[in-house]
Amino acid sequence: MRDFIPGIPLIHLQTVDSTNAYASRLLQKGEVQEGTVILADHQVGGKGQGGSEWISDNASNLLFSLVLKPSFLPADRQFYLSMCISHSLAVFLSVLTTGVSIKWPNDILVGKNKIAGILIENTIMGEYLNTCVIGIGLNINQTLFPAHIPNPVSLRQITGIVYDLTEIREKLFQSLATGLDLLYDNKLEIIRTAYLNKLSGLNKWTYCTDDTGQFEGRIIDVADSGELMVLLRNGNVKNYGFKEISFEL
């Protein structure tokens, strides 16, 4: 059962290298209350999955990290945390716009454009998770993006509305709390089903590329470990880790 509220306490910084790095330093120094959020107006060293950079205008978007301590969750099932967070974010955005989906493993799309990214960094003790730092970058009011960033989009670009960042942040925290209730109550199959229902490309034949070249495949499931399960035209199923496969979605 969850006994904390996401966003309490809240540490609001004007500028930081990255909220994940700041949260990790706090954890290394000593006790950090579960549910703590590090919020920044601007990051000078924001990062995404696989070491990619996350660029955001000052005070235009939501940039924060949430500290969790889900010591009940086996390390070999840590992807359920990723599924929980990404689905909670997708549900939140679906109230504000249409066409929201999750691109495996946890990018959030509106149509074919990326509106949010998630970076989860865990520490493990024995066979279970110890601490988790969940970094979220959500494009809210930014209207111009660097040319080298592939297919970014913001809520303002989609809806034409300028959003109050505090108001929208609190609504997002509520959505995260609802999703985390499922995780902390060990309702893993509900999380899995909800995630798959939002997964871009699920059960659709598409052209894929891996280290062997291009082929036709269909996403059919995600393993407990987080590997993507892809059905090939010959009937075989292959599992892929992060960045081992790409799609024409």
Side-chain angles (χ1 to χ4, degrees):
M1 180 178 294
R2 177 174 61 87
D3 60 358
F4 62 91
I5 298 174
I8 298 177
L10 177 72
I11 300 172
H12 190 173
L13 307 171
Q14 288 187 325
T15 302
V16 71
D17 49 355
S18 83
T19 58
N20 265 33
Y22 189 96
S24 295
R25 289 193 293 269
L26 287 182
L27 285 167
Q28 289 170 5
K29 289 179 180 178
E31 189 68 22
V32 179
Q33 182 177 326
E34 188 169 26
T36 297
V37 163
I38 312 302
L39 175 75
D41 295 333
H42 182 59
Q43 292 184 130
V44 296
K47 54 185 179 178
Q49 289 278 3
S52 61
E53 60 181 347
W54 186 269
I55 298 175
S56 173
D57 282 353
N58 185 38
S60 294
N61 306 312
L62 284 181
L63 307 169
F64 66 90
S65 294
L66 169 65
V67 176
L68 298 180
K69 299 179 180 181
S71 57
F72 60 89
L73 190 63
D76 60 4
R77 289 195 157 201
Q78 61 188 279
F79 192 68
Y80 280 91
L81 175 60
S82 180
M83 288 193 282
C84 169
I85 297 298
S86 54
H87 181 260
S88 297
L89 191 49
V91 168
F92 162 76
L93 286 168
S94 294
V95 175
L96 302 171
T97 187
T98 59
V100 179
S101 66
I102 302 168
K103 180 184 177 183
W104 176 84
N106 56 20
D107 282 342
I108 310 299
L109 307 181
V110 177
K112 294 187 176 182
N113 297 321
K114 182 175 176 178
I115 194 169
I118 301 167
L119 176 62
I120 301 178
E121 297 176 308
N122 300 324
T123 64
I124 296 170
M125 183 174 292
E127 297 180 353
Y128 292 87
L129 294 188
N130 182 29
T131 64
C132 305
V133 176
I134 301 165
I136 294 177
L138 174 58
N139 297 328
I140 304 293
N141 289 324
Q142 188 163 337
T143 57
L144 296 175
F145 293 89
H148 68 278
I149 298 179
N151 303 320
V153 73
S154 70
L155 272 177
R156 182 177 177 181
Q157 288 177 317
I158 296 166
T159 66
I161 298 170
V162 178
Y163 292 88
D164 181 286
L165 291 180
T166 300
E167 179 181 339
I168 206 164
R169 180 187 78 216
E170 292 306 315
K171 290 180 179 178
L172 175 53
F173 286 175
Q174 291 171 14
S175 183
L176 290 171
T178 299
L180 287 168
D181 281 340
L182 294 174
L183 184 71
Y184 278 66
D185 288 341
N186 204 36
K187 296 180 179 178
L188 301 186
E189 285 309 310
I190 294 177
I191 292 172
R192 180 196 198 89
T193 299
Y195 174 86
L196 289 174
N197 285 340
K198 283 288 187 182
L199 188 60
S200 181
L202 182 70
N203 292 322
K204 296 178 181 178
W205 289 105
T206 187
Y207 287 104
C208 312
T209 303
D210 65 10
D211 57 5
T212 67
Q214 191 178 70
F215 61 96
E216 276 193 293
R218 180 160 61 94
I219 299 170
I220 59 170
D221 206 346
V222 176
D224 286 346
S225 62
E227 289 184 317
L228 196 67
M229 301 170 66
V230 178
L231 176 66
L232 310 184
R233 283 291 191 183
N234 63 10
N236 292 335
V237 175
K238 290 187 68 174
N239 287 16
Y240 291 93
F242 181 56
K243 290 198 172 181
E244 292 180 350
I245 188 170
S246 60
F247 300 90
E248 294 181 12
L249 297 176

